[in-house]
Amino acid sequence: MFKQFDAGSTVNVSDWPQNTASPVARSGQLEALVALEQIGTRRSLSREEEIYAEGDRADGWYKVVSGTVRICKLMADGRRHIAEFLFAGECFGLDDHGERVFSAEAVGDVIVMRFPRLATQRLIEEKPELAGHMWNMTLRSLAHAQTRMLLLGRMTASERVASFLLELSERRDVRRNLDVPMSRNDIADYLGLTIETVCRVLSAFKKDGAITIPSPHRIDLCDRDMLEAAVEA
Amino acid sequence: MFKQFDAGSTVNVSDWPQNTASPVARSGQLEALVALEQIGTRRSLSREEEIYAEGDRADGWYKVVSGTVRICKLMADGRRHIAEFLFAGECFGLDDHGERVFSAEAVGDVIVMRFPRLATQRLIEEKPELAGHMWNMTLRSLAHAQTRMLLLGRMTASERVASFLLELSERRDVRRNLDVPMSRNDIADYLGLTIETVCRVLSAFKKDGAITIPSPHRIDLCDRDMLEAAVEA
DNA sequence: CGCCAGTTTGACCAAGATCAACGCAAGTGG
DNA sequence: CCACTTGCGTTGATCTTGGTCAAACTGGCG
């Protein structure tokens, strides 16, 4: 089932390259992380504002402080695809060299930290342990992307929506009273469906008693087992 | 359009963390890569043989020497999803910690190099520049995964197949006489379609004069422009 | 109160899935 | 050497899921 929804690209010291490292390397790692945090600058954005656009120079990466960010791509004929949603503590924009391949936008009001690429590179040269940390964040994104490829390639509409609700619940660490910051349209473009299908599936889940929908941006997971059964992967 | 199909996770010294590094760091990098190659062991597999299974301990990663490898996952009810095909020079199995989330199988006869996880970790501690190299390989996989999410989430059957043919052509560096090592079924599971749909789309392309199909595992791209137009992303 | 943006619901439609038959080599065993 | 099998691939007929189009609903907000 879907237990390994990555907890996002939060700072995490105990992983692949590090977890057998000597104590010395480990304390170096911690110090390096502090140094990393210090090269970041704060930036506030309001609802629907663009953080960067497709085609912009990719000269930095970001970490969400508060709010929700979406990473998306527009096709020539207007079809939209949302590659990822990012919540507080998660990082984005590490990928792509040179030009941005996707754009990043604020779903609601958002605060992010921006880490300039050059400063990051210099810091990595200075403290090579950091490369391992960056690598880990990328590995997490990759694991998440693979889970989503399975979802987009082989799951039915209800499986996708159930999956989405459970993912939200895991990532935001809420068991029942889920708040859903993004619009139905965003959800649809994230799941490779249409807004109507998303609505219909949600209504169906409601009728079956798996969820209730006090308001469009608030969903109660009454019966998680039912949702988990709907995923069935 | 789809020009940035990553050339795979081949060894590549000139990237993100390295490309502004001092000459000293660069030569260290090269030396480190040689050291890396030396911890690998050769392994031969025949058609349809499993390299590792879902659930196996993830205690190493691989590089394809010759042949084609597929990374796949089976859902409980038998639906199959192919996450990736790997050709000579490309790496896989770097992702997942602990247990394998996907399995890896030889499409035809295959030779791979296996790099044990522990030895790799030790080497990284010894030569921290290597972390940057590993990170780059992961970044490439991620870029590829993102391209595929767009394909699976938002493209039509013909767009997917056209995309696939062009991707094959780019990655194997062949402009016309494409050899297609995988079965129609593999292609379908890679593109999130059924085998019948793949066949039909290929037949349609043939009728339109975009391709010819001398044999099932050999496809001629007569009119690349037509295929590129069919993708239209 | 009426407008507006986002959501929900319904009726209909189509892309692609499913089911089924057929074709076509490459074995295989008599 | 030739029937027979077997595993793919291709094609056709029909069905289903989810998309499209359109209308109604809902909760702010001027």
Side-chain angles (χ1 to χ4, degrees):
Chain A
M1 220 136 280
F2 271 39
K3 288 305 175 204
Q4 77 317 19
F5 280 123
D6 64 309
S9 310
T10 44
V11 169
N12 185 338
V13 191
S14 60
D15 255 322
W16 228 107
Q18 285 78 40
N19 58 5
T20 56
S22 66
V24 187
R26 276 184 148 241
S27 71
Q29 173 76 3
L30 259 169
E31 180 194 306
L33 286 178
V34 172
L36 182 58
E37 291 292 330
Q38 281 169 349
I39 63 171
T41 54
R42 211 174 181 77
R43 193 173 151 199
S44 291
L45 300 120
S46 41
R47 185 177 141 70
E48 298 295 286
E49 209 177 325
E50 197 163 58
I51 301 170
Y52 53 74
E54 230 174 287
D56 281 3
R57 282 204 57 234
D59 50 6
W61 55 281
Y62 297 81
K63 181 167 167 181
V64 181
V65 176
S66 70
T68 303
V69 169
R70 64 169 177 255
I71 305 298
C72 49
K73 185 169 189 84
L74 223 51
M75 288 174 71
D77 58 0
R79 278 173 287 179
R80 191 179 65 150
H81 167 72
I82 294 188
E84 217 169 335
F85 290 114
L86 286 314
F87 304 113
E90 303 179 342
C91 296
F92 62 96
L94 261 163
D95 35 340
D96 48 26
H97 298 202
E99 282 199 355
R100 295 292 181 197
V101 177
F102 292 79
S103 66
E105 298 160 8
V107 168
D109 292 353
V110 159
I111 300 171
V112 296
M113 292 288 274
R114 179 177 180 283
F115 299 91
R117 180 191 175 119
L118 247 100
T120 309
Q121 279 176 221
R122 268 198 299 271
L123 206 57
I124 289 173
E125 277 167 44
E126 212 176 287
K127 304 179 191 294
E129 324 83 274
L130 262 187
H133 171 62
M134 304 301 279
W135 179 25
N136 264 312
M137 294 202 292
T138 307
L139 275 172
R140 271 158 215 283
S141 303
L142 182 57
H144 188 237
Q146 281 167 340
T147 304
R148 295 205 58 240
M149 289 196 313
L150 177 64
L151 179 144
L152 294 169
R154 282 289 176 235
M155 287 192 181
T156 65
S158 7
E159 288 171 333
R160 293 180 200 202
V161 174
S163 221
F164 173 72
L165 292 175
L166 293 171
E167 176 187 353
L168 266 195
S169 148
E170 298 284 333
R171 280 174 65 183
R172 320 207 64 192
D173 215 1
V174 176
R175 285 199 52 82
R176 266 191 70 111
N177 293 76
L178 214 52
D179 88 314
V180 182
M182 62 292 284
S183 71
R184 295 290 187 265
N185 231 311
D186 285 345
I187 299 175
D189 290 342
Y190 182 64
L191 298 179
L193 300 169
T194 59
I195 175 174
E196 293 96 331
T197 303
V198 171
C199 278
R200 274 189 263 267
V201 172
L202 285 175
S203 300
F205 284 164
K206 188 170 62 179
K207 200 175 47 149
D208 298 349
I211 61 172
T212 61
I213 313 181
S215 95
H217 292 282
R218 193 143 275 289
I219 296 182
D220 255 49
L221 313 185
C222 315
D223 190 344
R224 292 176 66 92
D225 296 346
M226 200 178 284
L227 293 175
E228 268 155 27
V231 172
E232 126 102 59
Chain B
M1 220 137 282
F2 271 38
K3 287 310 176 203
Q4 78 318 16
F5 280 123
D6 64 310
S9 311
T10 44
V11 171
N12 184 338
V13 192
S14 60
D15 255 321
W16 228 104
Q18 286 77 41
N19 57 7
T20 57
S22 65
V24 187
R26 276 182 148 243
S27 72
Q29 173 75 5
L30 259 168
E31 181 195 304
L33 286 178
V34 172
L36 181 58
E37 291 293 329
Q38 282 169 349
I39 63 171
T41 55
R42 212 176 182 78
R43 191 171 153 202
S44 291
L45 299 119
S46 42
R47 186 175 142 69
E48 300 294 287
E49 208 177 328
E50 196 163 56
I51 301 169
Y52 53 76
E54 231 173 287
D56 280 3
R57 281 204 57 230
D59 51 6
W61 56 282
Y62 297 81
K63 182 167 168 179
V64 181
V65 175
S66 69
T68 304
V69 171
R70 65 169 176 255
I71 306 298
C72 47
K73 184 166 189 86
L74 223 52
M75 288 173 71
D77 59 358
R79 281 174 285 179
R80 191 179 65 150
H81 167 72
I82 295 189
E84 216 167 338
F85 289 114
L86 286 312
F87 305 112
E90 303 179 342
C91 296
F92 63 96
L94 263 163
D95 36 340
D96 46 28
H97 299 204
E99 282 199 355
R100 297 292 181 196
V101 177
F102 292 79
S103 65
E105 298 160 9
V107 168
D109 292 353
V110 158
I111 301 171
V112 296
M113 291 288 274
R114 178 177 181 284
F115 299 91
R117 180 192 175 117
L118 246 99
T120 309
Q121 280 177 218
R122 268 199 297 272
L123 206 56
I124 288 174
E125 276 168 44
E126 212 175 288
K127 304 178 193 291
E129 325 79 277
L130 262 187
H133 171 63
M134 303 302 279
W135 180 25
N136 264 311
M137 294 202 292
T138 308
L139 275 172
R140 271 158 216 284
S141 303
L142 182 58
H144 188 238
Q146 281 167 339
T147 304
R148 292 202 62 239
M149 289 195 313
L150 177 65
L151 179 144
L152 294 169
R154 283 291 176 234
M155 288 192 180
T156 64
S158 3
E159 288 171 334
R160 293 179 199 203
V161 175
S163 222
F164 173 73
L165 292 175
L166 292 170
E167 176 188 353
L168 265 196
S169 149
E170 299 283 333
R171 281 175 65 184
R172 320 209 63 190
D173 216 1
V174 177
R175 285 200 51 81
R176 266 190 71 110
N177 293 74
L178 214 52
D179 89 314
V180 181
M182 63 291 286
S183 73
R184 296 288 187 266
N185 232 312
D186 285 345
I187 299 175
D189 290 340
Y190 182 63
L191 298 179
L193 300 169
T194 58
I195 176 175
E196 293 96 330
T197 302
V198 171
C199 277
R200 274 188 260 269
V201 171
L202 285 174
S203 300
F205 283 164
K206 187 169 65 180
K207 201 175 48 148
D208 297 349
I211 61 172
T212 61
I213 312 181
S215 96
H217 292 282
R218 194 144 274 289
I219 297 183
D220 256 51
L221 313 185
C222 314
D223 190 343
R224 291 177 66 91
D225 295 345
M226 198 176 286
L227 293 175
E228 270 156 26
V231 172
E232 124 104 59

